[in-house]
Amino acid sequence: MVYHFKSRRIIYGLTLLFIALSGFAQMPIFKRYYIADIPGLGWLAQFYVTHAIHYALAAVLMGLCAYVVLDYYFARKTSGTKRIQITKDTRIAASAQLKIAALSGLIITGFFMVVKNLSGIYFPHGVVIGLDLLHLLFAMVLLGATAYTWVRRRTWIL
Amino acid sequence: MSSPISRRHFLKTSVFAAGTAIVGTGAANAAITSDEEKESLVTLIDISRCIGCEECVYACRDANAHKFADPKKPFPKMYPDRVPVEDWSDRRDVTDRLTPYNWLYIQYASATTKEGENISLTIPRRCMHCQNPPCVKLCPWGAAKQEKNGLSRIDSQICLGGSKCKKACPWDIPQRQTGTGLYLDLLPAFAGNGVMYKCDRCYQKIDKGEQPACIEACPEDVQTIGKRSDIIKMAKDLAKEMDGYIYGLDENGGTNTIYVSPVPFDQLVYDTGKGKPHMHPVKDTMAAGSNLAIAMVIAPIAGAAAAVGKYYRQMKEEA
């Protein structure tokens, strides 16, 4: 089981790192503050590149979320069988619950933002601003909770 | 122009709007797809009729003068030093390019006809009002908006002047004025740099059932505005009649400004550069995003299928 968790942790960690970078790159700040001048980070100032990367990684993140949620459900269902360490007594840590809430918020707001960006779709202006700010808020909560659990070495499940 | 919107009001409005979005039904109901009843408005510009009198340019300035910035100087110092100060407030009378105070200008072009005759053409240039405008869709704050009738415009009360819209625009249309707008009330030294301005197709006049000022003022009837299907038919008929060429129909996935010229657009010779947009073919800049949206639908299904597959594999091994 540790093996599976390790691989999914690596995928999740890399996805989170680059989706956060490409997400913040939607704001014109990396060029202003010389970050895009660092060799290898020039792509952070190319808005269409970061837009495509953000979308592609959002697809990876949603695929991973769907996999982990169902895998967790089946693992609890088959509690007690060999190779499965998740049991019916397994609980999700409070910090993980916060991360799950933030991830859910990101996926929901992100979904509407992707729909909004399709041709011929019009959302009221206030809704667009709200989606932008909420998406940013959820990202900040997720990154804050991730930083906390990383420093304190907290796991997702207890 | 000082910003009449306060930070508190901005955040309050945003949180309210966000609540509506999250409720789900609100956002779902909010999406209004364009259909025949709400067909976008398109402008046809017949280049062969334009005489370059600039009546449209001055009509545009008069009709939109109340929207122009009136920045107070000195501007707040911005960091780091590379952040450019873009100030057109002392050069408001410039008409030979797009500026924050000049949203429409006449581009001079020369060309050789099929018969070998050298001709001069004058072309009214302004925002193309793309059908899927990247300036609107990629604005990180939602400061740029698209109306149901297809016009796109920038809300000067919300825009922070980051100029992303200009970089995303295939024609570099929006122009920045430093020292005005919401950024002055936030962190003027470290974020934002004024307000971006461009043609908003006189939305305030269209809302009243009137025509945009440039169309009303034109003595040669160079421009025609109407429903997309009508204007496209008219543009194709006109091109056929003059054995001419169309620009804007497919550019950037389709725009709401259609030019018809008696000579091919790639044979026009004109000045381009800052504030002087080109007339080259433009790919659909939003196409990659739209295609990747399909991947976002497939990915969760693939993830779920992988988990189900793993479960059944383990069950088989356990049995």
Side-chain angles (χ1 to χ4, degrees):
Chain A
M1 193 182 86
V2 174
Y3 170 77
H4 292 298
F5 276 20
K6 191 178 177 186
S7 59
R8 75 176 64 165
R9 268 181 175 171
I10 291 170
I11 295 169
Y12 175 71
L14 285 173
T15 305
L16 195 63
L17 172 66
F18 284 98
I19 204 169
L21 270 176
S22 58
F24 282 109
Q26 298 308 307
M27 294 181 280
I29 51 174
F30 287 114
K31 179 77 178 172
R32 174 169 178 158
Y33 288 106
Y34 297 94
I35 295 162
D37 293 350
I38 298 169
L41 296 183
W43 58 275
L44 287 171
Q46 295 173 35
F47 297 122
Y48 286 110
V49 172
T50 54
H51 184 234
I53 289 173
H54 199 67
Y55 270 34
L57 291 176
V60 172
L61 188 63
M62 285 195 293
L64 186 64
C65 285
Y67 175 80
V68 170
V69 167
L70 267 183
D71 191 49
Y72 181 75
Y73 169 76
F74 288 135
R76 283 176 67 91
K77 199 175 169 186
T78 54
S79 170
T81 56
K82 64 180 181 181
R83 293 176 59 197
I84 308 284
Q85 288 178 11
I86 291 172
T87 68
K88 283 172 180 161
D89 296 328
T90 302
R91 286 178 297 119
I92 296 170
S95 57
Q97 288 179 24
L98 181 63
K99 288 198 280 190
I100 290 167
L103 273 167
S104 304
L106 281 166
I107 290 171
I108 292 166
T109 53
F111 168 79
F112 283 112
M113 290 167 81
V114 169
V115 171
K116 179 262 297 179
N117 283 349
L118 296 173
S119 186
I121 302 291
Y122 306 93
F123 278 9
H125 195 207
V127 173
V128 174
I129 294 170
L131 285 170
D132 287 339
L133 291 178
L134 267 180
H135 200 69
L136 179 63
L137 176 70
F138 284 128
M140 299 299 280
V141 170
L142 178 63
L143 291 177
T146 302
Y148 170 80
T149 52
W150 197 45
V151 170
R152 302 294 296 268
R153 319 261 323 152
R154 297 283 165 85
T155 55
W156 286 71
I157 52 173
L158 300 171
Chain B
M1 185 193 291
S2 64
S3 169
I5 189 168
S6 68
R7 182 166 25 188
R8 171 178 269 186
H9 177 76
F10 175 70
L11 292 173
K12 212 165 78 178
T13 308
S14 304
V15 168
F16 173 76
T20 310
I22 276 308
V23 164
T25 49
N29 292 337
I32 301 162
T33 53
S34 63
D35 51 36
E36 284 198 4
E37 277 182 285
K38 297 180 179 71
E39 203 174 351
S40 55
L41 286 173
V42 178
T43 314
L44 167 64
I45 300 178
D46 179 357
I47 295 175
S48 69
R49 296 178 77 94
C50 182
I51 57 172
C53 65
E54 292 193 332
E55 284 292 327
C56 54
V57 175
Y58 291 100
C60 172
R61 293 163 78 100
D62 288 346
N64 295 300
H66 64 287
K67 302 171 192 166
F68 293 160
D70 194 11
K72 288 183 178 62
K73 296 180 187 177
F75 300 143
K77 170 80 178 151
M78 292 184 288
Y79 296 95
D81 288 338
R82 70 162 26 168
V83 181
V85 172
E86 293 189 55
D87 181 22
W88 287 90
S89 59
D90 296 329
R91 294 174 286 166
R92 300 183 190 211
D93 54 350
V94 169
T95 58
D96 64 351
R97 56 162 288 174
L98 298 173
T99 77
Y101 300 91
N102 196 58
W103 301 352
L104 165 66
Y105 89 105
I106 300 295
Q107 190 168 46
Y108 290 85
S110 59
T112 306
T113 63
K114 289 168 196 161
E115 293 76 30
E117 183 191 356
N118 291 325
I119 59 166
S120 294
L121 292 166
T122 47
I123 312 168
R125 297 305 307 272
R126 48 143 175 88
C127 174
M128 299 288 287
H129 293 284
C130 303
Q131 282 191 285
N132 197 23
C135 60
V136 173
K137 300 297 176 83
L138 299 185
C139 176
W141 299 112
K145 57 176 101 171
Q146 187 180 31
E147 307 283 353
K148 289 172 202 166
N149 63 14
L151 73 83
S152 59
R153 63 188 178 98
I154 297 168
D155 190 331
S156 62
Q157 295 186 357
I158 297 171
C159 178
L160 297 176
S163 197
K164 183 183 178 185
C165 54
K166 184 179 179 182
K167 293 183 181 83
C169 173
W171 294 277
D172 298 343
I173 297 288
Q175 301 290 317
R176 175 163 54 194
Q177 173 60 47
T178 299
T180 186
L182 184 64
Y183 92 107
L184 293 172
D185 299 328
L186 300 173
L187 293 167
F190 302 107
N193 185 2
V195 171
M196 307 303 295
Y197 291 93
K198 72 172 192 72
C199 162
D200 58 17
R201 219 162 55 175
C202 293
Y203 70 92
Q204 78 283 6
K205 290 171 73 70
I206 287 183
D207 284 349
K208 287 191 268 181
E210 298 171 14
Q211 291 201 328
C214 58
I215 299 179
E216 268 180 351
C218 181
E220 300 294 325
D221 294 331
V222 171
Q223 297 192 58
T224 311
I225 192 166
K227 282 183 178 177
R228 184 165 186 83
S229 54
D230 296 342
I231 293 294
I232 287 175
K233 184 179 182 307
M234 202 181 289
K236 286 181 175 171
D237 289 347
L238 181 63
K240 197 175 175 184
E241 186 186 313
M242 71 163 74
D243 196 16
Y245 302 84
I246 295 176
Y247 185 81
L249 203 53
D250 301 316
E251 273 62 34
N252 202 25
T255 74
N256 289 325
T257 301
I258 310 287
Y259 287 92
V260 177
S261 163
V263 290
F265 286 92
D266 59 0
Q267 288 178 25
L268 291 175
V269 180
Y270 49 83
D271 270 352
T272 55
K274 289 181 177 176
K276 298 179 177 180
H278 63 79
M279 292 198 112
H280 304 152
V282 174
K283 298 188 296 189
D284 184 356
T285 52
M286 296 298 289
S290 302
N291 293 335
L292 280 167
I294 299 165
M296 284 188 227
V297 176
I298 297 167
I301 298 167
V308 171
K310 180 186 167 191
Y311 170 69
Y312 279 108
R313 203 166 53 246
Q314 282 177 344
M315 287 300 95
K316 263 187 180 176
E317 285 172 12
E318 295 288 338

